[in-house]
Structures are given as structure tokens and as C-alpha cells.
Amino acid sequence: DAGITQSPRHKVTETGTPVTLRCHQTENHRYMYWYRQDPGHGLRLIHYSYGVKDTDKGEVSDGYSVSRSKTEDFLLTLESATSSQTSVYFCAISELAGGSRTDTQYFGPGTRLTVL
Amino acid sequence: GQNIDQPTEMTATEGAIVQINCTYQTSGFNGLFWYQQHAGEAPTFLSYNVLDGLEEKGRFSSFLSRSKGYSYLLLKELQMKDSASYLCAVRAGETDKLIFGTGTRLQVFP
């Protein structure tokens, strides 16, 4: 199994508060991703990173920001959490980009976030 | 637009064979993935297809037809532990971004 951890694993917060989720990898993979998973929507990409300090937006990036100051850490920040951001958040990593088996994305255990 | 369709739910009996279909319409195609996700857990990689044809891995096989925008995951000799959601995902274009279907929840009964 790929060495990916997420913290916290569970969090309950109130509307309007800032929240930061952390993804940590020990695989030295270049690419890291943040997804959210909601019933009826499947996994949707929020932001991704293709290297230290290199990030880009995904499909549902509004209300989220990310930072990657080290290869192993990718942070997702909700500047002012809203109830619509209640979800399960998954981090993923991959070694390469492009069409090959070696660039399979591997997922962390997830963070369940509830915004009241 | 980008669209991936798969059935929402399926049921099957232990020891049987089940086929989970996935159809896709994407701008560009650079590989199709199947993931398994047990309730409350992370998705785990099952298979990858980029060329037409069948890829076999133990009890699981995955098929791809690029001209039809179609894939299926075949699970043989079903076991109770195969009860899970199965996610179809397409890599579209040159980046490593994946577009996921909403998943098929499979329930295996004794």
C-alpha cells in the first residue's frame, strides 16, 4: 500500500471557521490531489499539485485553497467553511502523468468533515 | 462535456459472476481505471485499460472498447467480501486528471 496519511481523520466545525486538512506521503511521488466525495456525485477533483509550489484548480475549487511547500505534504484549506463543504475528503498521489500503468492514483484513508 | 455512466446498484449471489458496465463520453481518452471502495474506506486500484481488449487479474477482468466508449469489470466466483462500490474513472487529455463515475454499489448475498 502506498504510504499516504491524512489528518485529521474526522472533524466537526462551525460555519465560517477556517479548516486545514493535511495529506502526507512517504512515496516521494510528484503528483498529489485533493478530492471530495459526496453521494450522487462520485469523486470530484478540488485541486492538484504537480510539484513543490506548483498547483492548479480542479473541477470544484471554489472556496478551497491549497499549498505544497514540501514534496511530502499537500494542505487543503477551507478559508471559511460552509455547510455545503460537509463531505469526505480524499488525498491521492501518483508518480507520473500520462498514459501508463505507473501513473495510477493511490488514495489516502480520507477525512470526514462536518460543517454545522 | 465529460460524462461517465455506470449503474447505481447491482446485486449478485456468492459464487456467481457479475459484470459492471461503464460508458463514457470525454474530450480525449488516455486510459480507464477501475477502483474498489468498501464502505467508509478509500478507493483501491483494481485495473487499468488503455488499449482495446481484456485485462485479466485473478478473479477480476476488465474490458475496454475505445470506439464504443465502453468498459466493463467482470468479477468471477463472487465472495461476500466483494460487496463494495466499484468506481470507473477515465483519464482524459494529457494531464493526470481522472474523471470518476458515481460508482456502482454491489451487494453479494449468500
Side-chain angles (χ1 to χ4, degrees):
Chain A
D1 288 343
I4 313 169
T5 57
Q6 293 184 230
S7 59
R9 295 292 314 279
H10 301 272
K11 186 171 183 68
V12 179
T13 191
E14 294 188 350
T15 298
T17 59
V19 176
T20 296
L21 309 183
R22 179 182 184 236
C23 177
H24 179 78
Q25 59 144 331
T26 58
E27 305 296 322
N28 200 35
H29 282 4
R30 179 179 175 186
Y31 295 85
M32 298 185 76
Y33 312 81
W34 277 108
Y35 291 89
R36 60 178 290 173
Q37 187 173 39
D38 305 288
H41 287 278
L43 283 158
R44 292 181 291 174
L45 182 65
I46 304 171
H47 281 279
Y48 66 103
S49 169
Y50 44 96
V52 173
K53 298 190 188 303
D54 290 324
T55 64
D56 206 347
K57 296 179 180 180
E59 177 188 0
V60 289
S61 59
D62 287 348
Y64 302 94
S65 62
V66 289
S67 65
R68 192 165 177 207
S69 59
K70 298 185 290 185
T71 299
E72 57 266 35
D73 289 327
F74 192 32
L75 304 180
L76 177 71
T77 298
L78 291 66
E79 301 289 349
S80 178
T82 67
S83 58
S84 65
Q85 293 176 312
T86 293
S87 186
V88 179
Y89 291 86
F90 286 102
C91 173
I93 65 173
S94 67
E95 185 176 3
L96 301 170
S100 76
R101 187 180 298 277
T102 57
D103 50 16
T104 300
Q105 290 187 22
Y106 296 96
F107 286 81
T111 295
R112 184 173 295 276
L113 176 67
T114 302
V115 183
L116 301 176
Chain B
Q2 320 268 42
N3 193 49
I4 298 177
D5 286 318
Q6 47 182 138
T8 303
E9 290 192 2
M10 298 183 70
T11 60
T13 305
E14 196 173 15
I17 299 173
V18 71
Q19 178 175 311
I20 302 174
N21 296 324
C22 171
T23 59
Y24 63 89
Q25 293 175 306
T26 58
S27 53
F29 176 84
N30 201 17
L32 186 143
F33 295 80
W34 284 96
Y35 285 83
Q36 180 190 60
Q37 185 177 26
H38 286 100
E41 298 184 8
T44 55
F45 170 73
L46 283 179
S47 69
Y48 169 73
N49 295 70
V50 68
L51 299 177
D52 291 350
L54 190 68
E55 292 275 346
E56 297 186 82
K57 189 189 294 185
R59 293 189 299 114
F60 293 3
S61 302
S62 57
F63 172 83
L64 175 67
S65 169
R66 289 173 297 170
S67 62
K68 295 182 179 178
Y70 168 70
S71 173
Y72 67 73
L73 179 68
L74 192 71
L75 291 74
K76 303 176 185 175
E77 302 170 15
L78 280 172
Q79 302 175 9
M80 298 297 291
K81 68 178 182 179
D82 297 329
S83 293
S85 289
Y86 292 85
L87 315 181
C88 174
V90 172
R91 177 185 289 119
E94 294 301 316
T95 70
D96 200 35
K97 296 182 199 177
L98 292 182
I99 302 165
F100 282 85
T102 54
T104 298
R105 183 179 172 220
L106 174 67
Q107 290 183 280
V108 180
F109 293 99

